[in-house]
Structures are given as C-alpha cells and as structure tokens.
Amino acid sequence: MRVPESRHRRGAAAFGLPLFPGSVLALASLFTAALFADEEPAGTEEARPVELVHVTGYRIKRNSIDGPAPVNVFDRETLEATGVTLLGEFFRYLPQALGQVSELAQGSSFAGAEGVDLRGIGIDNTLTLLNGKRVAAYARNGASEPFVDINAIPIAAIERVEILNDGASAIYGSDAVAGVVNIILREEFDGLQLGGGYLTTTEGDGDEWTADLVWGRTGERTRVLATVSVSDKSPILARDREGTADVDYSDVGGPNFRAFNSTPANYFSLDSFQAIADAECGVEPKIADIETFPFFGDVCLFNYAWFQQLTYDRQALSGNMVVTHDFDTGVTGRIEVLYSHRKNRALLAPSPVIGGLIPANHPNNPYGALLEIAGRPLDTGNRIFDTSADTYRVVAGLEGAWKDWAWSADLLLSGNQTDTDRLNAVYSDRYYAALAGSGGPSGDQWYNPFGAHPSNDPELIDWMTTRTRFGADSEENALDLEASTFFGALPGGAVGFAAGLQYREQSLDEFADEVERSGQLAGGSQITQITADRDILAAYAEFKLPLLSTVEAQLAVRYDEYSDFGSSTNPKMALAWRPGDAWLFRASYGTSFRPPTFTELFNPETFNSGFYEDVERCEVTGAPADCAQREYPVRDTGNPELEPESGESTLFGVVWSPGFLDGFDLEVDYWRFEHSDRIVQLDPQLILDAKNNDGVTRLPPSAEDIALGIPGPIVELTRTYLNSDRLVTSGVDVSGRYLWQSRTGMRFDTTLMYTYVGDYTLKDAAVGSRESGINFAGRHYNLEFGIPRHRGNLNINWQNGAHGMAANVRYTGDYEGAFDVTIDGASRPHIVDAYTTLDLQYTYQFGADATRIRLGCRNCFDNDPPDTFLYLGEGLYDYRGAMVYTRLEHHF
C-alpha cells in the first residue's frame, strides 16, 4: 500500500484542478479549445528534460525525494489496488493515523465527511493540502476540531498522496503540528477514460455504484485535464449486523448502554416515590427490556441501536479541472477548479424527551397516580437529518523565472457549506402539554405514551413535531508569493534558498433557524451560531545546505501573525547524511503553534443535559438522589480567554537500500511529539469526582447539609474549554519495499508499513481534564479512540502481462478497552482483541491495455471486528463485513 521514499521513485509533482458542473464546464471547454487552436497535434513535441520538482516537506524544488524529510508516497495504482471508493477509507487503515473521523456511523452532522488525524494528536493538528495548497475546513456547527473533508476529493482525480511524518509548521503553517497530508491531483492525460464500479456486502446491502470520466489533452503549450465522478450508496441498518445490533454488552461481561429514556417508558410515582417500568417492557427484548439497578429497582432500558444506521444513504457528484499554459514570455499560467456536492440522510432513534408529568386522570394511566415519565415518543418517527455538503476550491497562479530566481504567485479561494434539515424534531413543551391533555391545535388532545407501541392521532403528532434547518459556511482564502534560487558553492554543491509571503483569511458563519436556537427541542440541541473570522500574515524562508557531498541540512523558519492571537515564530532544523549508496541517516526538530478554533473561543451558550453522579454528597449521605447518576442541565459555552497550543517534534531515522538486493528499501524512524497547553473540553463528572465545584452551580446548603459539611444539591453544570495538559507521544515507524521485475515484464512488488506507539501520556492535566501521568499507549483514551501499540499493513502485488493480483493484509493489535468485564462477579480489564483482515483483487487488461476490469473482495473472510463496548466508537474498524466489488474502465 505504500511506496517508501527510495531511489526508485520517479515523476514530477502534479497540480490538479477541479470542475464546476454545467456552465463552468462549458466555458472551460471553450477556453481550452481556443488555446489548442494553433497548436501542433499532441505527440509532435520533443521530450522535455527532467526538471526539479516540488516534494512535500520542502519549499525548494528537488531532483530526488531522498533527503531530511520522511515522506511516504502512495501512487494512484496503490489506491486502486485497495479497492476503496473513498479517500477516507484508505486513511482509516493508515498505521500512523488514530482517532479518525470515520464515515461509518457518524451521527447527524458529518454527512459522510472524513479527515486525517496523524498520531492521534488531534484532527485539527494534521494539515491537509491539495496540490500543496490549503482547502477550507469542513463546515459543521459546533466543530471544536475543524478538518478538511478528504471524501470531497474523487479517487479518480488523484495522482498520488504524500504524507510528511514529522512536524512541518515552519514549512507550511502553524497547524502542521503532527505532519502534512498532501493530495496531488492528476495533471496530464491524453484521451478519454470512462470507468464504473459496483460494490456490495455479502449480506446483500450497502450497495454502492460509482462512475467517473477522465478527459485530457496535452499540447505543445497547453495541458488540460478534467475529471467527473458520481456515486450512489445505499444505507445499512445497524441491527443487520450482529456486532452493532445492540448496545447491551452484558452477555459478554460488558456494560449495558441501553437508554433510560425508553419506550416502553419508565415512570416515577410522585405519590409513592417509586420507580415503575411500563408493564409491556420486555415484550420485544431486542428493543427494550428490564434491568435492575441499585436505588431504582427495575427499569426499562431502550436499545437505540435498533433504530440507527451503520452507513447512510449518500449521493455524491464531484469534479476537477486543471489547465496549464506556457506563454511566449516564459511564464506558465495555471487554473485549478474543484467542486464537490454530496447529499446524506442520517437516521437516529426517535427523540428522547426529558421529564413530563402524566396526571392521575390521564385516560390511559393504569396507575391512577401522578407520574413523571422518562420515555421517547416512538410514533413521532426516527430523527432524520438530511444534509447537503458543497466544497469548492479555485486556484489561479503564475510561475516563471527572472535571472537566477524562480517565482510563483497564487490566489486561492476555497469554501465548504453544509445545510441540514432536521425532520421529526419534537417540541418538549408541546409533548408535556399533550401528556396533560392540552395538546393538539385545539388544546384538548391527550398523548398516550403507554405500552410498547404508542399510537396517537396523526394530527397530534404533526402538532408535536417540526422540521428545522441549520448549517455552516467555512472559507479559506489566500495569496501566496514565493521565490527560490541557488547560489554560492558549499562542498556538496550550491545553496538552495526559498522565501515567501502568505496572506490568508479564515471565516466561519454558522446558522440555525429560530426553533433550533430556542432550546425547545427534545433531547437537547448542539446547534450553535458563530460568526467569526481572522487574518493571518506569514513570512517564511528555507535553506538547503549541501554541507558535504554526503551531508544535507535543511533550515527553515516561519513567522505567523494572527489578527486575534498575536504572532509566533517556528523554526525547523533537519539533517540527512548518506555515508554510502546503501545508507541514509536523518534527523529533524521543529516547533509548532495552533491558535484556538472559533468554536473553542466563541461557542455561544447552549443548554443540554447529561447523567452525572454527585460524588461529594454521595460519600456522606449515601442517598439515592445523590449516589445514582441523575440527569442534570448542562450549559455549554466557549472560552474567549484561551491561549494557543504549542508543540515540538523530533525525528531520527535510517533508510537502508542494499546494493546486493536491487529494489529493496527498509526505513526505520523514531518520532516524538510534545504538544503543550492543549485545549480540552472539561468533563463535569471528572470535576465532581475530584470534589471540585468549578462550573458546578448548586442550591444553598440546607441546615442539615451544613451540619454534614457538604454543599447543596446540583442545579446546573457547565462545560467549557481550558488550556490543560501536555501530551507526549512517541514511537517507531517501519516501512519496507521490495520490487522485482523480470526481463519478460513480470513484476512483483511488496510493501510493509508498521507503526509502534510506545508512549501516549498526558502530563499536568487540570481538574476536569483526563488523568495525567498515565501512558495510554496500548489502552483506550478518553472514551474517544483506542491506541493499539501495533498496527501494520502488508501489500503484495503481482503483474504478468494482462493479469494482475493484489493482496492487502491489515493488522490492528490488541489493547486494553475503556471498560472492565465482569464474569461470575469478578472484574478484570477488557482486552480488545487483535484484528486482521485480508483484501484481494484480480485485474485483467484486454487487448492493448485500453480496457481493464478489476474484481475484488474486502475483508474477504468476513472477520467481525472485536468487541470494544463503544457503539461504533472506533475509527479503527469497518463494521460492514465482507464486501465484493468490480470495476471496469476503458481508455478511448
């Protein structure tokens, strides 16, 4: 799956360009036709000399990828051999990535978007570039960690992916804390290629159709390439997979995460102060069943997984176009355009409604007492979120030479908009009124919540529910000016120098309709409205210093000045030493700086709820009201007093390419990242566990409380952001490749990627943050993601004439899960088992290689992911099971 940096890598850097549908495509076609009008036919031009090219990790062009920067390269052939249809699926299996935002089971707000999180430092600390330039972040309401949606980039348009595995803030910007992902689009192509594919699971669901068109022409002066891709994916219900059909893991000794807000419902008699489970609870145990708890007794717990989706209904259209033209003046102009449109429907379980009183005279009340209910009105239907996401990006640039200087100037305009319609949202106040007989347009209808299948007047349901709308608009615009040259003569050659100026504008504009902002919707609301922007002015410089014929140094420095957070200067120093053809040693050190996000700073107050235990009172009173997890109001808000995060990265590595085994490369890198003043959202339960009252609003203590020395009961909790701990993570990357080719054309290519995480430790954590001093490597972190110490991929490719075979083995090691298992009354840590899958692909090329068909399977042996006790909460696994696919393409 990986092409390591090696002496075998060839090819120039690519610049890609996107495509708006309709009128823009027509105008672009007319434009390119005019440019080609006076040109010689393609193929008459003389071969161009090999030129210096851009390589990720350097501003100065190079003639080789070998150097101080550890760069992984994945070409288009590698992507195609994996059988993935989305770029996010490819990165989900990358050993260096942790804590991925996965396209699987994301909930309501992602619409199929995915991002890359190198080293698990935070998805907003990996810089994702397209052709070396930035892309606007995915626009999502309340996103404290913005990321670039890599699924907006069609696979058919990609030439290769380059990943820089050490920090690169001095080269590309302050947010390249954990590294850089640079997606290079195809630049040159002659002819027309049509392709299409179909994928389905062996369960017969999750069908996905894809089709794409690639057209290009290379002339003497003008090159143009356009790509259009469409896809249509059908959903998979979570209940159709054994491992995702239920959130009750007690049958294997794990926790039961079924919800207290249930249907059949739970009631609390305000006359007898007793908890009562609906008499029909357990009639359909797959949906709801009785569970016995201390203090509460028998309660009915609801399996919301039965109503959820594993994957979503999704349709996508994306395109890109790139046009480059060499003018008579020696200047080259370039225009890139990218457009992506995606529609996504997410289904969630019907709304949980907090509280509500049922009077004793309710016509359906079998208990004849005043009841408080914890339930959810199933007859209002699933919560439905219909989201459209649009990404656009336009780059216009010129580059040329003046005397001994090469220069470039680029203008970038990019943005992402999301728009979501929420259906079947329930008004809390109207639900409460209907429970009391004051519902409906006339104010005289009762809502009947009793039984396993409540069924009420459709007119009443329409009155209780509504449709809402919310979304966001994110923009990233930039002007880049850069110049580079070579001068002087050190023992190893001329000094390379590059310098540049960059001006960037970032903005976020969230919106939500009045109902979404009202706080009247059942189940709470995460919808926020933020309008914010910032300007960044940056200057950078890089030196390439060939100190000896065998030693190269890289020195870089970048100055960033933020309109809202002052300035930061970040250097980087790197060294490469090649004592002989077989060995390359390298080391690097750099610093980083990341300002708080708009959400972390300006998130307006929103009111939600959560279940928490009042530890300080419980330890003294032992009362159920204090010791049981109760639902409390939670106020979420930003913190404008936040300070920026900072970081340091260190890397030492060696590459071995023995002369006696041509085609073999082995690379070993030790990496270490230290990320300080990390911005975290405080956890109210951790604050309560520490018997601290930061963000805890309580009633005044009663006389009895004062006598016991305890504070009054909780009224409200506050969640906000704080600069907290310092994260130290380190480990080793190992990669290898062996390429063998016979004189008859048979080719055998095998690659190995492996990452070992030795340390993932939080230090100096504040109250309400995570535990400090614990190495989470080999454990689960913060109920967010697992950190297996070992992850690896082995890829074998064979090609002989028209036939080709590819095998991909993916391995994820075991780790200690987030919860204990209890078997026969004894508890022990839960070990999430190691997991291995095998993908296979067969390729056949017809005739003169104009037509190619691919047949393959993914997770061919249908291995189920291990139990994690976190419902679809791991970006490490694909829960769909075995998949089979085919793809056919023809080059005209």
Side-chain angles (χ1 to χ4, degrees):
M1 192 174 75
R2 173 183 184 271
V3 182
E5 54 176 307
S6 77
R7 60 182 183 277
H8 304 291
R9 182 179 178 273
R10 296 174 297 170
F15 297 94
L17 183 142
L19 153 78
F20 288 104
S23 59
V24 176
L25 178 58
L27 289 172
S29 300
L30 290 173
F31 172 66
T32 55
L35 290 175
F36 278 112
D38 298 326
E39 293 192 355
E40 294 294 325
T44 63
E45 58 182 330
E46 297 181 0
R48 294 173 179 153
V50 176
E51 298 179 354
L52 299 178
V53 298
H54 281 295
V55 177
T56 301
Y58 310 91
R59 289 287 184 178
I60 302 168
K61 289 185 177 181
R62 305 176 60 83
N63 59 6
S64 170
I65 195 172
D66 289 343
V71 183
N72 295 340
V73 181
F74 305 88
D75 59 19
R76 184 171 67 254
E77 182 180 348
T78 299
L79 294 176
E80 292 174 345
T82 63
V84 299
T85 56
L86 295 171
L87 193 55
E89 294 178 328
F90 176 79
F91 278 99
R92 197 178 305 151
Y93 305 119
L94 189 71
Q96 301 100 307
L98 289 170
Q100 294 296 100
V101 170
S102 172
E103 188 262 347
L104 300 175
Q106 297 172 336
S108 61
S109 58
F110 288 93
E114 294 192 65
V116 186
D117 186 355
L118 296 177
R119 313 299 183 191
I121 294 177
I123 200 165
D124 53 341
N125 287 292
T126 296
L127 179 59
T128 301
L129 303 174
L130 190 60
N131 287 343
K133 303 294 182 183
R134 289 176 175 264
V135 187
Y138 180 71
R140 183 170 69 93
N141 293 74
S144 61
E145 293 185 309
F147 62 91
V148 171
D149 176 17
I150 56 177
N151 283 346
I153 304 167
I155 292 284
I158 297 174
E159 179 66 27
R160 66 184 181 274
V161 176
E162 298 180 349
I163 300 176
L164 181 65
N165 288 313
D166 65 348
S169 292
I171 305 295
Y172 293 108
S174 59
D175 45 357
V177 177
V180 175
V181 172
N182 190 11
I183 302 164
I184 310 295
L185 299 183
R186 300 168 73 169
E187 183 182 29
E188 296 186 9
F189 183 80
D190 281 305
L192 173 67
Q193 177 182 295
L194 296 178
Y198 172 70
L199 177 146
T200 188
T201 70
T202 54
E203 299 289 335
D205 54 12
D207 296 351
E208 183 168 2
W209 295 91
T210 58
D212 50 73
L213 175 153
V214 182
W215 173 80
R217 184 175 176 186
T218 302
E220 182 178 358
R221 291 186 178 181
T222 306
R223 297 162 297 283
V224 60
L225 183 143
T227 302
V228 178
S229 298
V230 295
S231 66
D232 191 329
K233 186 175 184 177
S234 61
I236 299 175
L237 296 177
R239 63 174 177 252
D240 290 336
R241 296 294 185 275
E242 183 178 357
T244 60
D246 204 336
V247 290
D248 179 5
Y249 306 103
S250 56
D251 58 338
V252 291
N256 184 352
F257 288 125
R258 289 190 172 196
F260 183 70
N261 290 88
S262 176
T263 292
N266 292 296
Y267 315 103
F268 185 74
S269 172
L270 298 182
D271 294 337
S272 62
F273 298 101
Q274 291 182 335
I276 305 169
D278 192 288
E280 292 191 19
C281 185
V283 171
E284 295 181 278
K286 291 183 178 180
I287 297 177
D289 208 351
I290 294 291
E291 182 82 7
T292 302
F293 284 93
F295 308 120
F296 281 109
D298 290 344
V299 298
C300 191
L301 295 185
F302 179 77
N303 178 28
Y304 54 84
W306 195 256
F307 298 85
Q308 306 279 103
Q309 288 173 300
L310 177 60
T311 64
Y312 302 116
D313 186 11
R314 174 175 54 80
Q315 296 81 41
L317 164 68
S318 56
N320 73 285
M321 179 175 282
V322 58
V323 179
T324 59
H325 182 74
D326 300 325
F327 295 96
D328 291 336
T329 59
V331 173
T332 297
R334 183 179 69 257
I335 298 177
E336 306 174 15
V337 183
L338 171 74
Y339 175 76
S340 172
H341 173 73
R342 186 172 59 244
K343 295 177 65 176
N344 186 83
R345 166 163 282 200
L347 302 183
L348 277 69
S351 297
V353 185
I354 310 304
L357 297 179
I358 304 173
N361 65 341
H362 190 293
N364 304 103
N365 186 344
Y367 304 103
L370 178 63
L371 304 175
E372 183 177 6
I373 184 174
R376 58 181 76 214
L378 291 191
D379 47 357
T380 60
N382 282 73
R383 287 171 285 171
I384 300 175
F385 295 84
D386 287 334
T387 300
S388 64
D390 293 273
T391 300
Y392 70 87
R393 180 179 177 273
V394 180
V395 177
L398 296 171
E399 62 179 33
W402 179 74
K403 295 186 177 181
D404 294 329
W405 290 82
W407 60 268
S408 65
D410 295 280
L411 176 66
L412 164 70
L413 303 174
S414 69
N416 178 269
Q417 297 100 28
T418 61
D419 196 321
T420 298
D421 288 323
R422 186 206 294 223
L423 286 68
N424 299 337
V426 177
Y427 286 107
S428 297
D429 55 348
R430 295 190 180 189
Y431 172 75
Y432 300 150
L435 289 175
S438 302
S442 302
D444 59 357
Q445 291 181 272
W446 294 88
Y447 179 81
N448 177 15
F450 297 96
H453 296 284
S455 179
N456 289 270
D457 188 338
E459 183 183 49
L460 176 61
I461 298 300
D462 288 343
W463 178 81
M464 286 171 45
T465 59
T466 187
R467 179 179 185 137
T468 67
R469 181 172 173 264
F470 60 90
D473 184 349
S474 170
E475 292 186 357
E476 175 95 31
N477 303 319
L479 176 63
D480 282 309
L481 303 174
E482 186 173 296
S484 62
T485 189
F486 289 88
F487 64 90
L490 291 175
V495 174
F497 172 73
L501 291 172
Q502 183 184 73
Y503 174 76
R504 291 163 44 210
E505 295 177 340
Q506 291 180 339
S507 64
L508 175 65
D509 186 5
E510 299 179 348
F511 68 88
D513 63 23
E514 184 178 351
V515 176
E516 281 286 352
R517 303 194 310 270
S518 68
Q520 298 175 2
L521 299 180
S525 173
Q526 299 295 333
I527 306 309
T528 60
Q529 280 206 140
I530 297 174
T531 300
D533 60 71
R534 61 167 51 121
D535 303 333
I536 305 102
L537 181 64
Y540 55 86
E542 178 191 1
F543 287 91
K544 176 186 177 184
L545 303 174
L547 304 177
L548 298 170
S549 61
T550 58
V551 179
E552 176 190 337
Q554 178 192 36
L555 297 178
V557 63
R558 184 183 184 95
Y559 172 82
D560 291 278
E561 183 173 311
Y562 285 75
S563 60
D564 54 353
F565 270 95
S567 61
S568 175
T569 300
N570 292 286
K572 180 177 182 179
M573 298 166 284
L575 191 69
W577 174 43
R578 186 179 284 280
D581 290 340
W583 295 95
L584 172 65
F585 296 90
R586 61 187 171 211
S588 67
Y589 170 82
T591 66
S592 60
F593 161 94
R594 186 188 75 82
T597 66
F598 294 135
T599 298
E600 292 165 343
L601 287 168
F602 308 123
N603 192 43
E605 288 189 351
T606 56
F607 292 89
N608 298 285
S609 62
F611 286 87
Y612 301 97
E613 177 186 341
D614 192 343
V615 174
E616 189 170 2
R617 288 180 60 88
C618 174
E619 290 185 356
V620 176
T621 68
D626 296 324
C627 296
Q629 283 205 338
R630 295 184 56 192
E631 194 160 25
Y632 295 105
V634 178
R635 182 169 61 96
D636 289 303
T637 184
N639 180 4
E641 303 300 322
L642 290 171
E643 296 293 329
E645 300 177 340
S646 61
E648 298 180 0
S649 64
T650 307
L651 182 136
F652 300 96
V654 58
V655 181
W656 181 46
S657 306
F660 62 83
L661 188 59
D662 189 45
F664 177 80
D665 294 278
L666 179 65
E667 176 183 341
V668 180
D669 291 316
Y670 167 81
W671 47 267
R672 183 181 187 274
F673 294 88
E674 183 170 330
H675 194 202
S676 302
D677 297 318
R678 296 173 70 246
I679 298 171
V680 298
Q681 188 176 36
L682 299 182
D683 185 330
Q685 188 59 65
L686 293 179
I687 293 174
L688 295 173
D689 290 345
K691 303 176 188 176
N692 187 291
N693 282 300
D694 290 343
V696 181
T697 303
R698 296 178 178 273
L699 291 173
S702 65
E704 183 179 356
D705 294 335
I706 295 173
L708 294 173
I710 57 175
I714 296 172
V715 174
E716 180 185 271
L717 300 168
T718 298
R719 279 190 300 234
T720 190
Y721 298 93
L722 187 72
N723 290 98
S724 178
D725 46 51
R726 177 166 52 98
L727 170 64
V728 176
T729 181
S730 62
V732 176
D733 292 335
V734 179
S735 59
R737 182 188 188 192
Y738 178 61
L739 171 64
W740 175 82
Q741 189 165 344
S742 72
R743 294 180 179 178
T744 60
M746 184 188 304
R747 175 187 173 101
F748 176 81
D749 188 359
T750 181
T751 61
L752 169 70
M753 291 190 70
Y754 164 77
T755 292
Y756 170 78
V757 181
D759 192 15
Y760 195 98
T761 303
L762 300 179
K763 301 181 179 181
D764 310 320
V767 173
S769 182
R770 295 297 135 190
E771 297 177 86
S772 61
I774 295 177
N775 184 2
F776 286 95
R779 303 179 60 173
H780 203 281
Y781 171 70
N782 191 21
L783 300 181
E784 293 179 14
F785 54 87
I787 307 178
R789 289 187 180 272
H790 307 277
R791 290 189 76 194
N793 297 324
L794 174 64
N795 313 105
I796 302 172
N797 293 274
W798 170 84
Q799 186 76 39
N800 187 21
H803 302 275
M805 288 290 297
N808 300 311
V809 180
R810 312 184 193 280
Y811 174 80
T812 298
D814 60 11
Y815 60 93
E816 185 178 320
F819 304 94
D820 290 344
V821 292
T822 302
I823 299 176
D824 296 330
S827 295
R828 58 175 174 79
H830 169 55
I831 303 301
V832 178
D833 293 334
Y835 184 58
T836 304
T837 61
L838 171 68
D839 302 343
L840 295 173
Q841 184 185 97
Y842 168 73
T843 304
Y844 182 77
Q845 296 184 346
F846 295 88
D849 296 344
T851 303
R852 180 171 58 179
I853 187 171
R854 296 178 184 271
L855 303 171
C857 59
R858 295 167 56 186
N859 188 8
C860 299
F861 293 112
D862 198 15
N863 291 339
D864 293 329
D867 290 326
T868 64
F869 302 155
L870 284 172
Y871 180 64
L872 302 175
E874 305 287 356
L876 298 171
Y877 311 112
D878 190 327
Y879 294 83
R880 290 176 289 181
M883 292 164 276
V884 293
Y885 64 90
T886 182
R887 176 175 169 81
L888 179 67
E889 59 188 41
H890 180 75
H891 186 179
F892 294 90

